[in-house]
Amino acid sequence: MCGIVGGIAERNLVPILLEGLKRLEYRGYDSSGVAVLDSENTIQRVRALGKIKSLEAKIAEAEHPLSGQIGIAHTRWATHGVPAENNAHPHICNNQVAVVHNGIIENYQSLKKHQLTEGYRFTSDTDTEVVAHCVHEQLKSSQTLLEAVQKAITHFEGAYALGVVSVEYPNTLIAARKGSPLVIGVGIGEHFIASDVSALLPVTQSFIFLEEGDVAEITRESVNVYDVNGHQVAREIKQSSLTMHSVDLGEHRHYMHKEIFEQPQAVIDTLEGRITQNHMLVSAFGHDAEAIFQTVRQVQIIACGTSYHAGLVAKYWFEDIIGLPCQVEVASEYRYRNPVLLDHTLFVTISQSGETADTLAALQQIKALKGDKTIATLSICNVPESSLTRESDLTFLTHAGPEIGVASTKAFTTQLVALSLLVTALGKALHLMSETQERKIIHGLQKLPGLLQKALTHENDIKAIAQGFADKESALFLGRGTMYPIAMEGALKLKEISYIHAEAYPAGELKHGPLALIDEHIPVIAIAPHDDLLEKLKSNLQEVKARGGQMIVFEDEQADVDSQGNMKVVKATTNVGRITAPITFNVPLQLLSYHVALIKGTDVDQPRNLAKSVTVE
Ligand code: F6R
């Protein structure tokens, strides 16, 4: 989703802004732009439709080199107004004020109506242009740019992260956030803003994370932050452990490929410090967790997309392994109905980014509705200091490292690791799990990196299978038990990066409808672990085979699925346990989507219409 970069320095900022935009490309965008105040104190702006290289080309072709020591830049992901150059940010008012914006100003139409009567002219179809005009209008009665922005934001309903510059105050950059993330990069004699730290890693590793409602007045020498009530507040400067190379591609052609292959290490990093060598869980959810967990009688998981699928897998674990009731719901549904909150519920939100608008809103709704009920919130998240982690009672950080590919891979794997530790922690706190069971689960998790490594060795087999896919229009994924959500995840991966329509079904549901779809044109992908449901699954596969369906089965070596005729079988793994099986079987499905997308030539890391961090509803 939209990305912001900005800065104020004593050097030309254009290369830094462009590098920052490239580092935000992964968030998804359709156009980009940059604006600086030049040496004559004039706003110079360049915008382009498409990739950042189009913007760079335009800048390179310009008659006068673009240069400035204060500036803002943006990647836009269209919400209001089609992807087009006139809708790209920065937006400028009367050559006086330039703004970049992430989020949605929900009341922009009423603001626009008023601004039209005030004589303001609009050159875009965006909601953002009202921000530029509003700041311009407020400047007339303000002593500083800070004051103008503080007054302007009182008129906005919705979500925003803003970067604002004005020719009247050429030594001040204003940043503001409500509902959309924004960080300040702290340098020596220079400061920067960005949607996330990765954009600024080439220039700093010191960051201030703005909080909800904060407005910051930024000069070369200082950063002053004001809270939602306008009071100056001290916000800690934190050091990021990321380096500029943590987000490099290395030997891989795509981030998705790199991230699939990073999964064994991501599991090791997520387990580190949370389990002991003799297979026991140590306090993984913080000091307060044990007391909170003892009050829990049921779990409600809320998430979106891939993170939702992780929740669905965990539901099986909670109910099957420790007998604790667990519900799972997508955040965009949960937040807009009137949910009944049960006493003694642990609400678990799962999110790679920690900034997904629907998940965050659902969490806020729970906090608003809980009253005097014994209810606690836990977030499982990959991004420290994200909004979700700051608003939850407990946080478990998955240590997957930065995930750049839009399609979530290693984050999902580590979310499942986190959820398995949560099942163990709740099982222990509620005396629903024996020490033997605990050791078995933890021992299984310790073997997981090796199992994932082994699953990755099947890449060449999967590449060959992918060849038969590229001309297909539809695919069906089948699984039973925890493999059903894994089938859903496989279908989601295929559709998002290869644009092939894909659906997942619990294999037992086939004859209740989807069997009608089966013919030789639709590949059917099934996951066959060696478990109690194997024989039932084999019968389902025979139903497909008998109707001429093209089957691809990822099986446990011991499952022994009959591979004759129109059935291709990949022995993806062996000796996986109840917890490690879904995590391991997901890997071949990730590789399948990746290689199908490669053959189709789609944009693997930035699929069309999608954004990495969905900060609008
Ligand atoms: C799919 C994918 C999305 C995200 C979803 C939630 O590959 O990445 O479905 O899982 O947008 O994002 P987070 O986990 O950041 O809340």
Side-chain angles (χ1 to χ4, degrees):
M1 209 127 282
C2 308
I4 288 176
V5 195
I8 178 162
E10 285 194 356
R11 49 179 163 160
N12 176 20
L13 279 174
V14 173
I16 295 171
L17 297 178
L18 290 172
E19 174 63 22
L21 289 186
K22 282 187 206 154
R23 287 172 167 265
L24 293 180
E25 279 191 301
Y26 76 94
R27 296 167 71 90
Y29 70 106
D30 45 60
S31 52
S32 60
V34 56
V36 291
L37 298 188
D38 69 9
S39 53
E40 317 267 283
N41 198 25
T42 303
I43 299 177
Q44 300 293 348
R45 170 178 70 179
V46 181
R47 298 180 292 175
L49 189 60
K51 296 287 176 191
I52 307 290
K53 42 182 195 291
S54 316
L55 181 69
E56 283 180 317
K58 270 185 120 176
I59 290 173
E61 284 159 15
E63 208 175 309
H64 301 292
L66 188 69
S67 173
Q69 298 176 347
I70 173 167
I72 48 181
H74 192 261
T75 47
R76 174 173 187 258
W77 189 84
T79 56
H80 294 66
V82 296
E85 192 176 315
N86 68 309
N87 287 331
H89 303 207
H91 288 286
I92 296 177
C93 178
N94 286 356
N95 293 325
Q96 303 269 304
V97 173
V99 303
V100 284
H101 166 222
N102 182 5
I104 293 177
I105 305 297
E106 287 166 5
N107 60 333
Y108 81 100
Q109 272 168 325
S110 62
L111 292 171
K112 186 168 178 177
K113 215 164 157 189
H114 158 78
Q115 290 171 351
L116 283 168
T117 63
E118 293 295 307
Y120 286 104
R121 292 287 156 259
F122 286 79
T123 58
S124 79
D125 308 310
T126 65
D127 53 327
T128 301
E129 211 175 349
V130 299
V131 177
H133 294 334
C134 196
V135 172
H136 182 269
E137 194 176 5
Q138 296 303 330
L139 266 174
K140 294 176 194 160
S141 60
S142 302
Q143 303 301 314
T144 60
L145 183 57
L146 170 72
E147 188 187 334
V149 174
Q150 281 174 319
K151 286 190 204 156
I153 58 179
T154 62
H155 295 272
F156 304 153
E157 285 164 21
Y160 54 78
L162 295 173
V164 183
V165 294
S166 150
V167 294
E168 214 177 314
Y169 298 96
N171 295 312
T172 309
L173 166 66
I174 301 292
R177 76 153 283 185
K178 186 184 148 223
S180 296
L182 200 62
V183 301
I184 298 175
V186 179
I188 299 168
E190 56 186 17
H191 292 109
F192 308 91
I193 59 171
S195 297
D196 67 45
V197 298
S198 65
L200 300 178
L201 290 172
V203 285
T204 185
Q205 278 181 276
S206 306
F207 294 95
I208 296 170
F209 294 86
L210 289 181
E211 296 194 4
E212 276 297 279
D214 280 356
V215 182
E217 183 180 41
I218 304 165
T219 67
R220 290 176 182 82
E221 302 78 27
S222 63
V223 175
N224 293 320
V225 182
Y226 300 84
D227 69 9
V228 70
N229 301 312
H231 299 136
Q232 191 166 351
V233 282
R235 298 271 181 247
E236 200 186 332
I237 300 177
K238 299 193 174 166
Q239 298 302 315
S240 171
S241 55
L242 297 177
T243 65
M244 59 186 284
H245 298 298
S246 11
V247 288
D248 285 351
L249 256 182
E251 68 203 20
H252 299 270
R253 196 162 146 198
H254 295 101
Y255 282 107
M256 183 181 178
H257 194 257
K258 175 178 183 238
E259 288 156 8
I260 289 173
F261 277 79
E262 280 173 349
Q263 291 179 110
Q265 189 59 45
V267 170
I268 294 170
D269 294 344
T270 300
L271 289 174
E272 195 191 325
R274 285 155 170 169
I275 56 173
T276 65
Q277 278 315 306
N278 59 344
H279 323 311
M280 300 293 283
L281 176 70
V282 287
S283 145
F285 296 89
H287 297 305
D288 304 334
E290 169 116 25
I292 290 176
F293 288 172
Q294 281 167 358
T295 67
V296 172
R297 296 294 171 268
Q298 60 267 319
V299 175
Q300 169 75 61
I301 297 177
I302 299 166
C304 302
T306 290
S307 300
Y308 166 68
H309 294 156
L312 288 176
V313 173
K315 176 180 166 69
Y316 287 87
W317 293 340
F318 276 115
E319 302 205 345
D320 184 23
I321 301 174
I322 60 169
L324 194 65
C326 175
Q327 301 299 322
V328 191
E329 190 165 345
V330 286
S332 55
E333 284 301 312
Y334 189 89
R335 67 177 287 197
Y336 287 118
R337 60 183 187 86
N338 291 317
V340 178
L341 273 63
L342 295 177
D343 212 358
H344 300 288
T345 302
L346 177 66
F347 283 87
V348 181
T349 51
I350 311 173
S351 173
Q352 188 285 128
S353 60
E355 302 294 348
T356 300
D358 285 323
T359 311
L360 197 53
L363 172 63
Q364 286 158 349
Q365 186 190 19
I366 291 155
K367 285 163 64 182
L369 291 178
K370 78 176 223 184
D372 56 6
K373 293 198 173 105
T374 305
I375 275 172
T377 57
L378 162 71
S379 64
I380 293 176
C381 188
N382 195 38
V383 180
E385 301 300 333
S386 58
S387 303
L388 208 61
T389 62
R390 279 191 260 141
E391 297 212 14
S392 303
D393 299 323
L394 302 172
T395 293
F396 181 101
L397 284 180
T398 49
H399 293 154
E403 191 179 65
I404 306 292
V406 162
S408 187
T409 53
K410 61 178 181 170
F412 178 69
T413 292
T414 54
Q415 285 166 352
L416 288 172
V417 169
L419 286 160
S420 68
L421 295 180
L422 182 61
V423 172
T424 313
L426 279 164
K428 279 174 78 172
L430 295 168
H431 306 291
L432 297 170
M433 180 180 280
S434 67
E435 200 179 299
T436 315
Q437 273 179 305
E438 177 184 355
R439 283 186 197 280
K440 199 168 164 206
I441 290 174
I442 304 299
H443 191 44
L445 289 173
Q446 284 166 321
K447 289 197 296 192
L448 184 59
L451 293 169
L452 299 180
Q453 205 73 56
K454 185 146 187 273
L456 289 167
T457 62
H458 292 286
E459 186 174 23
N460 282 338
D461 306 333
I462 294 166
K463 232 189 236 179
I465 290 174
Q467 294 292 343
F469 246 84
D471 60 336
K472 300 289 186 256
E473 284 176 4
S474 239
L476 198 59
F477 287 71
L478 300 178
R480 277 178 173 266
T482 51
M483 297 307 156
Y484 170 45
I486 293 301
M488 292 168 80
E489 175 58 11
L492 177 64
K493 285 287 97 85
L494 187 70
K495 66 186 134 195
E496 69 178 325
I497 63 164
S498 73
Y499 316 149
I500 292 175
H501 170 250
E503 271 193 84
Y505 264 92
E509 271 288 297
L510 259 186
K511 51 184 153 318
H512 299 291
L515 206 51
L517 287 173
I518 305 297
D519 62 16
E520 68 279 16
H521 302 298
I522 177 160
V524 179
I525 300 98
I527 314 160
H530 187 237
D531 63 11
D532 301 347
L533 296 170
L534 178 63
E535 290 313 316
K536 292 195 183 306
L537 181 78
K538 282 182 179 173
S539 308
N540 302 139
L541 300 186
Q542 287 309 322
E543 290 163 10
V544 176
K545 195 173 169 187
R547 286 155 184 87
Q550 298 296 308
M551 303 233 40
I552 297 152
V553 184
F554 293 104
E555 70 162 6
D556 187 294
E557 277 173 19
Q558 299 164 53
D560 205 19
V561 172
D562 175 9
S563 65
Q564 284 168 7
N566 45 357
M567 184 108 75
K568 290 194 179 105
V569 177
V570 178
K571 295 193 181 304
T573 185
T574 190
N575 268 332
V576 275
R578 214 166 8 172
I579 289 213
T580 48
I583 310 178
T584 309
F585 272 106
N586 183 48
V587 170
L589 301 188
Q590 294 171 338
L591 287 171
L592 181 66
S593 304
Y594 175 75
H595 285 287
V596 173
L598 266 195
I599 295 165
K600 290 202 75 180
T602 53
D603 189 343
V604 172
D605 284 333
Q606 292 157 33
R608 67 183 181 202
N609 308 338
L610 296 181
K612 181 68 184 161
S613 186
V614 186
T615 51
V616 296
E617 320 177 15

